[in-house]
Amino acid sequence: MDDVSAELGRLSDLDELSGQAVEGVLAAAGWTGERRNPAKAWATTWRRDGAGAWVQGNAPVEVQFTLWHRDVEDERPDPDTYIEELYDAAAAELPTVVSQLTSGVLGPRLQESDRDLTGDEDFIEHRAWIVADKVVLAGVKHSDTDAPVQLVVVLRADTPDDADAEDAEDDDWL
């Protein structure tokens, strides 16, 4: 499994998480830009050694590294059991990724947080940290039945004010 802790270390040091800056870090680390969105000045998808990276949004961008993925095969006799097996297989790889992150160049700078750092995404299992003004999240996700089960590492800007505002809005409904 590809270790992305060095890239995350360099990305977390960026003053602004822009697409062009991310492109520079990924290209320098040996990633190959695969696809360019005509509306963007940088490659939006990247590949290295079986892993993928996806740069989405505008400044600040979010970078998602997909380290492990398995397509869900509909023709399985017991799809629920099969999907659970995929979840378990991905979750079994998560400690390796967490160990790479916590023992790598980024490790000493990772800070635990009491806040929910998942954003608006649902993760089956995850670990998340704050580093500088960014969130690093490693987790297993399965967005919908047509999507693969994935083990991802995400780096994005930390927006605690947005989370606090959402919490305050939620409190109004109680």
Side-chain angles (χ1 to χ4, degrees), residues 73-147:
E73 300 168 9
D74 292 333
E75 64 274 359
R76 293 286 179 146
D78 185 0
D80 291 337
T81 299
Y82 172 64
I83 289 173
E84 287 295 325
E85 289 170 358
L86 289 179
Y87 294 168
D88 292 344
E93 296 292 334
L94 184 58
T96 300
V97 174
V98 169
S99 176
Q100 289 172 342
L101 295 174
T102 57
S103 65
V105 65
L106 197 58
R109 297 173 43 212
L110 294 173
Q111 299 174 355
E112 300 282 342
S113 175
D114 292 337
R115 292 187 294 121
D116 176 10
L117 301 174
T118 59
D120 59 356
E121 292 192 69
D122 289 329
F123 285 87
I124 296 161
E125 191 171 326
H126 76 280
R127 290 279 309 272
W129 306 268
I130 301 290
V131 60
D133 58 348
K134 296 167 185 73
V135 171
V136 175
L137 186 143
V140 177
K141 70 179 193 173
H142 182 215
S143 301
D144 65 38
T145 57
D146 293 332

Side-chain angles (χ1 to χ4, degrees), residues 23 26-27 30-36 43-47:
E23 181 174 59
L26 294 178
W31 291 77
T32 302
E34 291 190 324
R35 187 170 48 191
R36 291 189 174 274
T44 54
T45 61
W46 296 79
R47 176 100 16 225

Side-chain angles (χ1 to χ4, degrees), residues 7-18 21-22 60-63 106 109-111 113 115 117 128-137 154-160:
E7 290 89 327
L8 290 168
R10 287 190 289 282
L11 291 169
S12 67
D13 287 337
L14 295 173
D15 290 333
E16 181 183 14
L17 202 54
S18 70
V22 170
V61 297
E62 177 177 308
V63 184
L106 197 58
R109 297 173 43 212
L110 294 173
Q111 299 174 355
S113 175
R115 292 187 294 121
L117 301 174
W129 306 268
I130 301 290
V131 60
D133 58 348
K134 296 167 185 73
V135 171
V136 175
L137 186 143
V154 177
L155 178 79
R156 67 172 173 265
D158 183 21
T159 52

Side-chain angles (χ1 to χ4, degrees), residues 35-81:
R35 187 170 48 191
R36 291 189 174 274
N37 178 334
K40 307 282 185 191
W42 62 85
T44 54
T45 61
W46 296 79
R47 176 100 16 225
R48 183 180 76 186
D49 300 332
W54 181 28
V55 182
Q56 56 189 347
N58 293 310
V61 297
E62 177 177 308
V63 184
Q64 177 178 295
F65 295 94
T66 302
L67 305 178
W68 185 99
H69 77 278
R70 300 294 184 272
D71 290 321
V72 176
E73 300 168 9
D74 292 333
E75 64 274 359
R76 293 286 179 146
D78 185 0
D80 291 337
T81 299

